[in-house]
Amino acid sequence: MDVKEINKYGQEIIDCLKLTTSPVAVKLIPKGGEIPEGINKVDEAMRHCQLVDRVRRSGEEFYTQVEDQMCKGGAGAMGLGEMPPKVASGEFYFKGLKQFSTQGAARRTLEMVSKLPPNSTEAIMYSPLEKTTFVPDVVLVICNPRQVMLLTQAMMYKTGGRIESSFAGKQSVCSDGVVRVYKEGKIGVTVGCSGSRTYTKISDEEMIMGIPIELLADVASGLKEICPK
């Protein structure tokens, strides 16, 4: 699958679903890998969820490294540096955010978060799918439940089956949306988290779907068949 084909799929998804923002292409460059020429570094440090939300609205393309990622929990999940100890232990969610009854409950939840090995990622690239200049690993679509339904039906069109998702309302756009999809090669649906719903313009009516690049063609072709007229 080349870039022009990916761009075409991106525009078809926008047109069929009547999306008001772009699907976002995300690429993880492994440690020691080279960043393609012609792609600029982001101009300010932001959280991963903010970067995704910025790209889907602005149409910008850029790359980030660990120093550009404000949320070190999300960066750690994606292999950019280490997971902060207070996040990994659950202390941050138990004592800081008070989202669990015990630190043990928080720890068990965080232990199940999909993550890449520490310091295994050199950089992360972001671009609107319909304009991307690189082949992504994962496509993130932030949209309403009906649009998620149509994407699900599109994926089922050729071979049937079911989409199985796993989420806990924690590290949603980073771990659920990117890392789990990247590692398993399966579509994932997630509901957002406190961070992504606090620091971005993701609305209460929106959800997140992560699509591995290997399944993008199937989703796009299925969508053309079931797209509402």
Side-chain angles (χ1 to χ4, degrees):
M1 190 185 309
D2 61 24
V3 168
K4 287 185 179 179
E5 196 173 10
I6 291 169
N7 296 156
K8 178 173 71 75
Y9 291 149
Q11 191 60 55
E12 287 173 355
I13 290 171
I14 291 171
D15 293 343
C16 179
L17 297 181
K18 297 180 173 57
L19 294 176
T20 57
T21 62
S22 296
V24 177
V26 179
K27 185 172 185 65
L28 306 176
I29 299 179
K31 197 68 175 180
E34 293 187 2
I35 299 163
E37 293 184 6
I39 297 182
N40 294 324
K41 200 169 193 278
V42 71
D43 55 7
E44 63 176 312
M46 302 177 77
R47 295 165 176 81
H48 166 75
C49 53
Q50 290 177 307
L51 294 162
V52 170
D53 196 46
R54 172 175 167 176
V55 167
R56 73 169 178 135
R57 297 176 188 280
S58 71
E60 297 170 271
E61 179 177 86
F62 47 68
Y63 74 90
T64 66
Q65 294 181 295
V66 63
E67 64 271 16
D68 306 309
Q69 297 272 350
M70 283 182 64
C71 174
K72 300 307 180 186
M78 296 184 293
L80 279 173
E82 302 270 353
M83 183 73 77
K86 290 185 178 180
V87 173
S89 69
E91 181 179 344
F92 172 70
Y93 289 98
F94 170 54
K95 291 184 178 179
L97 297 183
K98 303 186 186 305
Q99 292 181 343
F100 290 92
S101 61
T102 66
Q103 187 167 327
R107 173 185 50 76
R108 283 189 289 274
T109 302
L110 269 293
E111 286 175 349
M112 297 177 71
V113 164
S114 295
K115 57 183 78 70
L116 295 176
N119 301 304
S120 62
T121 302
E122 182 74 31
I124 303 176
M125 299 195 296
Y126 303 84
S127 181
L129 188 65
E130 74 279 12
K131 297 194 299 184
T132 184
T133 63
F134 58 82
V135 176
D137 296 309
V138 175
V139 175
L140 287 173
V141 186
I142 300 176
C143 56
N144 65 44
R146 181 176 182 275
Q147 292 162 332
V148 170
M149 177 197 74
L150 290 169
L151 288 168
T152 301
Q153 292 173 344
M155 185 63 227
M156 299 301 107
Y157 183 79
K158 185 177 180 180
T159 60
R162 296 181 70 82
I163 288 177
E164 297 180 0
S165 287
S166 175
F167 52 84
K170 306 286 182 291
Q171 296 196 314
S172 186
V173 181
C174 51
S175 178
D176 294 347
V178 174
V179 179
R180 187 165 185 265
V181 174
Y182 176 81
K183 291 177 71 172
E184 298 184 5
K186 299 176 182 178
I187 283 177
V189 177
T190 186
V191 294
C193 57
S194 299
S196 61
R197 292 195 179 279
T198 298
Y199 297 109
T200 75
K201 295 179 182 178
I202 296 173
S203 74
D204 290 349
E205 292 76 30
E206 290 181 310
M207 302 171 65
I208 301 98
M209 176 180 274
I211 305 170
I213 188 61
E214 295 87 350
L215 297 181
L216 181 63
D218 286 344
V219 171
S221 62
L223 202 55
K224 286 179 72 174
E225 298 296 333
I226 61 108
C227 187
K229 306 305 181 200

